[in-house]
Amino acid sequence: MVVSDAAAVAPGIGLLSDPLGDRRLNVYALEHDGGWALFDAGVPGTVTGRVERGDLVGAITLLVVSHADADHLGDAAALRALSPNLRILCHAGDRRWIEDHDALVRERYDHARPRYGYGYPTDVLRELRRLCGADIRIDATLDDGSSLRIGSREWRVLHVPGHSPGHLALWHEPDGVLLLGDAVLGFGPPGGDGRASMPPTHQSIGDYLRTIDRLARLPVRLALSGHWPPLDGALFGRLLRESRTCVERDLEVVLEACSGQPRRFADLIGALNDRSRSWPPREDAAYSFALAGYLERLTGQQRLREEPGRTYIR
Ligand SMILES: [Zn+2]
C-alpha cells in the first residue's frame, strides 16, 4: 500500500496535489482496511493516472465526493472502472448533479443564463463538461451528524452548504482534523503568488454564513481543503474570517453600484471584479455564482429593488 508522490499531512492521510491552471487541486488518500479511501477524486486522471503509473498502490474501496464540481468528481467514473468494488458516497443535496453531469453543467455552471442571460462561453462549458468525466452512480448518501469509519478513525459528517446545496465535510474531533473541500473560499482560491486566482464561488449566502459560523465553533487543528495548502487552526480561523469579510464587502459593492441608477447583472459582475480582481479577466465570469446569491439576498431583504429588464436599483 503506497502513494509515492503523496505528502503525509496527518497519520494515515496523504495529500495528492496537482496544478489546475494557476491553482492547486487537492485530493486526500486515507488509509482504509489495507487499501485506500479517497476524499474527492479530482479531474480525469488525477487518481487513475497515479494508479496507472504505480504511484498509488492498493485497493481503493471508498470515495467520498465533497460536492458537485468537476474538479472534485471528474475522475470518479474512470476510478470505478479500475476498482469495481468502489463505493461512492455524497450528500443527498448534490447527488443528482454528481450522477448527471449534463444537468450539472446546465443547472450549475450555466445557472445564470435563463434568468440573467449571462454565462460562460460555449467552449468553457464544453471543457467543464469534459472535466466531469462520465456519469457515475452514487451508492449511498451521507446525512449531517452521521458517522463514517475510514480506517481507524470515526469521522462525523457535516452538511456545510453555501458553495453548493449538498456540500459535505468530514470532521475528526479527537485529532482536530477537518476534511473541508470547498466549503469556505475566503477571497477566492489562491494562485501561485498567494493572491486569489479566481473569484470566490459561494452562492447561497445565508447557508454560507451559517456554514462559516458552524465551522468557527470547531476546535480545528488541521483543515484540509480542495485548493489551499494544509491549514493549521490559526490559518483556518483566518480563512473563515476572510470568507465572511468577502461576503460583507461584496454586498456593499453591489449596493453601492446600484445606488441612483439601475444596473444589469453584467454591470455588477464588472463592479465586483473591478473591486477585487487579482485574477486574469477570463476568470471574471465565475463571480456569477456569488452575484446571483447576493441579488437574491438583497432583494429578499428589500435592500435592492428589481426593475423591468432584470435591472437592480437601491
Ligand atoms: Zn474545487
Side-chain angles (χ1 to χ4, degrees), residues 287-309:
Y287 239 129
S288 67
F289 302 96
L291 177 57
Y294 298 149
L295 292 174
E296 195 179 313
R297 183 171 180 86
L298 291 170
T299 53
Q301 294 173 335
Q302 301 183 338
R303 298 168 75 193
L304 274 188
R305 196 171 71 241
E306 187 179 328
E307 301 266 275

Side-chain angles (χ1 to χ4, degrees), residues 97-153:
W97 287 342
I98 291 171
E99 294 190 317
D100 179 347
H101 300 163
D102 288 338
L104 171 60
V105 170
R106 191 173 59 245
E107 297 167 15
R108 179 161 167 80
Y109 296 137
D110 209 26
H111 71 105
R113 199 174 305 275
R115 185 169 172 81
Y116 301 109
Y118 185 91
Y120 289 114
T122 310
D123 61 317
V124 173
L125 291 172
R126 208 178 296 125
E127 174 63 4
L128 286 166
R129 177 64 188 82
R130 185 188 72 77
L131 291 175
C132 290
D135 285 347
I136 53 171
R137 191 193 70 252
I138 290 294
D139 296 287
T141 55
L142 295 166
D143 297 326
D144 184 68
S146 63
S147 67
L148 177 68
R149 185 188 67 79
I150 299 177
S152 58
R153 288 188 179 91

Side-chain angles (χ1 to χ4, degrees), residues 259-279:
S259 292
Q261 55 176 330
R263 304 299 295 268
R264 295 171 305 127
F265 193 86
D267 301 330
L268 297 172
I269 288 274
L272 286 168
N273 279 288
D274 289 347
R275 169 64 181 78
S276 50
R277 186 188 290 112
S278 54
W279 43 80

Side-chain angles (χ1 to χ4, degrees), residues 94-295:
D94 278 11
R95 178 178 189 157
R96 200 173 76 83
W97 287 342
I98 291 171
E99 294 190 317
D100 179 347
H101 300 163
D102 288 338
L104 171 60
V105 170
R106 191 173 59 245
E107 297 167 15
R108 179 161 167 80
Y109 296 137
D110 209 26
H111 71 105
R113 199 174 305 275
R115 185 169 172 81
Y116 301 109
Y118 185 91
Y120 289 114
T122 310
D123 61 317
V124 173
L125 291 172
R126 208 178 296 125
E127 174 63 4
L128 286 166
R129 177 64 188 82
R130 185 188 72 77
L131 291 175
C132 290
D135 285 347
I136 53 171
R137 191 193 70 252
I138 290 294
D139 296 287
T141 55
L142 295 166
D143 297 326
D144 184 68
S146 63
S147 67
L148 177 68
R149 185 188 67 79
I150 299 177
S152 58
R153 288 188 179 91
E154 285 286 343
W155 296 82
R156 180 167 297 276
V157 175
L158 306 180
H159 179 214
V160 284
H163 173 57
S164 75
H167 199 299
L168 63 75
L170 296 180
W171 167 234
H172 188 258
E173 180 134 359
D175 292 344
V177 178
L178 180 67
L179 288 163
L180 177 67
D182 293 352
V184 291
L185 293 157
F187 294 115
D193 63 0
R195 303 197 307 157
S197 63
M198 65 179 290
T201 49
H202 48 261
Q203 183 161 12
S204 175
I205 305 305
D207 287 340
Y208 190 61
L209 295 174
R210 280 187 290 278
T211 284
I212 293 168
D213 286 345
R214 184 178 188 191
L215 295 177
R217 290 194 293 271
L218 302 178
V220 171
R221 293 207 288 273
L222 179 67
L224 301 173
S225 92
H227 303 283
W228 270 259
L231 303 171
D232 65 16
L235 288 171
F236 179 60
R238 189 169 98 180
L239 178 63
L240 292 174
R241 288 192 298 280
E242 288 178 352
S243 300
R244 174 172 286 281
T245 299
C246 180
V247 170
E248 291 168 351
R249 178 199 69 188
D250 287 358
L251 289 170
E252 288 305 315
V253 169
V254 172
L255 285 170
E256 179 65 26
C258 294
S259 292
Q261 55 176 330
R263 304 299 295 268
R264 295 171 305 127
F265 193 86
D267 301 330
L268 297 172
I269 288 274
L272 286 168
N273 279 288
D274 289 347
R275 169 64 181 78
S276 50
R277 186 188 290 112
S278 54
W279 43 80
R282 64 185 150 77
E283 302 280 4
D284 286 3
Y287 239 129
S288 67
F289 302 96
L291 177 57
Y294 298 149
L295 292 174

